Amino acid sequence: MLPTKPTREFVTGLPKAELHLHIEGTLEPELKLKLAKKNNIDIGQSTIEDVKKSLEFNDLVSFLNVYYPAMEVLQDESDFYELAMAYLKKAHQNGIKHTEIFFDPQAHTARGISFETVIMGLSSAVQDARAFGVDASLIMCFLRDLTSESARQTLEEALPFADLINGVGLDSDEHHNPPMKFAQEFHTAASYGFNLTMHADVDQVHSIDHIREALEVIGVQRLDHGTNILEDPDLVDFVVQKNIGLTSCPLSNSLVTKNNGISDNKGKELIELLNKGVKMTVNSDDPAYFGGYVVDNFMELIDNNGLTSEQVVQLAKNSFEISWISDNQKELYLEQIEAYINDFIE
Ligand SMILES: [Zn+2]
């Protein structure tokens, strides 16, 4: 039976998939300090408080200026393993059954860490997480503020490990970096059989034009963020008809919109799109930086936007329906959701 107002307990136990999660954004202060010490790297911070103090940002660019330098502590395969395993255990505690994890190879290869080190560390953790019931896959993202030539080289480096990678995405600073800049690389990635997604961050200059390019020219199967799609009703119809899902991240929205003077989790837009039949989902983006994992993101919408139990269940179902798993697997997870609802007693 569904609770009248969704509780944390209900949301936590509900089977869910997470589809918008950057593994580098799960680096918690404790692990950052531990790896800095192990690898003899002076990060200019020696206590948890120091690290937390550095997490001050109010828009996408100021966030990215804190985010990328922190990755310096990730040096060898075991570091990437430990980073991914820490997240996968958190995912398990959050009731996540399936997760599709973004990683940014260029953020590591640019500082001399090999593609192989990154992918082998991450994929070993993905393998081991099956033991505690979390099924995971990896999505390689290109950094959109680097050149298309750099993306092309990264795609080439990835090919020997293609069976460990489920899809290709695009992230980092969107300003002056439209989807079209990478049209050729995404076309090539699709020809190799990779699934495609792209970030369309909230309230960017030309947001709606970028969304149109991603959908109509690149042919993405999902949009990451993308709530500005509401500016064009024809595009909303398009994603409903094509079953293209959007991956929203309420807590990260609140932080990156802070500099406008109004912190906006975009929950209103999420619910409006959900009501229009768009396959919306709730995700945590960079949880170590934005203050919460997936259950916290659901609670944000429940507490501040009045998200109902029915909507919570719909969002959980959507997360499996737009995931990149087989139809059989989807069916099994949807059955788990039905069983959970039937058994849930307030
Ligand atoms: Zn993201």
Side-chain angles (χ1 to χ4, degrees):
M1 194 193 293
L2 292 176
T4 21
K5 184 186 176 218
T7 58
R8 178 171 282 272
E9 184 205 356
F10 175 73
V11 175
T12 304
L14 182 68
K16 298 174 286 297
E18 178 152 59
L19 307 175
H20 187 155
L21 178 283
H22 302 268
I23 201 62
E24 293 89 352
T26 68
L27 181 63
E28 292 285 351
E30 292 79 0
L31 184 58
K32 186 180 178 187
L33 289 174
K34 183 185 158 189
L35 294 179
K37 199 171 166 199
K38 170 190 161 250
N39 294 322
N40 281 318
I41 292 165
D42 180 10
I43 53 168
Q45 299 144 6
S46 55
T47 65
I48 303 282
E49 286 65 40
D50 290 344
V51 181
K52 285 188 175 156
K53 234 181 278 169
S54 75
L55 303 180
E56 273 175 24
F57 35 81
N58 56 12
D59 61 12
L60 186 61
V61 173
S62 63
F63 161 68
L64 295 172
N65 287 339
V66 175
Y67 186 61
Y68 287 109
M71 295 177 198
E72 192 59 30
V73 303
L74 299 165
Q75 292 286 324
D76 62 28
E77 204 177 302
S78 72
D79 301 339
F80 287 93
Y81 178 92
E82 201 168 345
L83 176 71
M85 186 46 80
Y87 160 67
L88 288 160
K89 286 179 178 164
K90 279 262 172 47
H92 180 55
Q93 290 162 7
N94 275 256
I96 291 169
K97 304 291 179 195
H98 173 73
T99 173
E100 298 177 4
I101 302 171
F102 293 135
F103 70 109
D104 285 340
Q106 290 151 296
H108 311 298
T109 53
R111 53 188 183 84
I113 310 295
S114 75
F115 191 99
E116 184 174 4
T117 298
V118 179
I119 190 82
M120 294 319 285
L122 298 177
S123 59
S124 302
V126 162
Q127 282 281 344
D128 290 352
R130 290 192 190 136
F132 52 87
V134 176
D135 171 62
S137 61
L138 297 170
I139 301 172
M140 169 176 83
C141 286
F142 299 134
L143 297 182
R144 68 199 305 162
D145 41 359
L146 300 185
T147 62
S148 56
E149 172 57 20
S150 173
R152 192 192 60 76
Q153 284 170 10
T154 303
L155 184 57
E156 239 164 60
E157 282 179 282
L159 289 182
F161 309 99
D163 56 342
L164 302 174
I165 301 168
N166 195 7
V168 172
L170 187 67
D171 63 10
S172 198
D173 188 6
E174 189 166 331
H175 195 47
H176 295 311
N177 297 304
M180 284 308 286
K181 178 176 164 185
F182 300 94
Q184 184 57 53
E185 291 67 32
F186 272 77
H187 180 74
T188 308
S191 73
Y192 290 131
F194 290 112
N195 295 299
L196 305 183
T197 187
M198 272 188 180
H199 275 55
D201 282 284
V202 297
D203 298 346
Q204 298 293 296
V205 181
H206 305 305
S207 266
I208 193 65
D209 302 321
H210 291 181
I211 289 171
R212 188 174 297 114
E213 282 177 15
L215 292 171
E216 294 181 349
V217 184
I218 310 291
V220 292
Q221 291 138 279
R222 290 203 298 252
L223 270 181
D224 301 310
H225 301 299
T227 43
N228 289 78
I229 197 169
L230 275 167
E231 293 163 27
D232 185 340
D234 288 342
L235 287 179
V236 175
D237 290 345
F238 181 85
V239 294
V240 172
Q241 278 161 21
K242 299 260 178 189
N243 213 25
I244 293 170
L246 270 59
T247 63
S248 275
C249 311
L251 289 173
S252 105
N253 290 340
S254 296
L255 269 165
V256 297
T257 55
K258 238 181 179 176
N259 69 336
N260 303 335
I262 313 157
S263 194
D264 186 350
N265 67 15
K266 300 289 169 189
K268 189 172 152 279
E269 287 80 356
L270 181 148
I271 291 170
E272 191 176 340
L273 287 162
L274 189 68
N275 289 339
K276 288 178 189 292
V278 179
K279 291 274 163 70
M280 302 302 294
T281 59
V282 173
N283 308 269
S284 68
D285 208 359
D286 298 285
Y289 292 83
F290 295 132
Y293 287 79
V294 84
V295 172
D296 300 311
N297 276 274
F298 272 98
M299 295 316 293
E300 162 76 13
L301 297 177
I302 290 162
D303 293 338
N304 297 306
N305 302 86
L307 198 71
T308 66
S309 287
E310 286 75 12
Q311 288 168 330
V312 168
V313 170
Q314 187 59 54
L315 289 161
K317 286 182 179 171
N318 290 350
S319 69
F320 292 112
E321 282 171 5
I322 65 162
S323 70
W324 294 333
I325 55 179
S326 71
D327 288 346
N328 278 349
Q329 281 174 293
K330 287 181 190 179
E331 207 49 53
L332 289 173
Y333 287 125
L334 294 174
E335 282 167 15
Q336 283 185 22
I337 290 179
E338 290 305 328
Y340 177 76
I341 295 166
N342 289 335
D343 290 351
F344 192 83
I345 297 163
E346 252 186 297

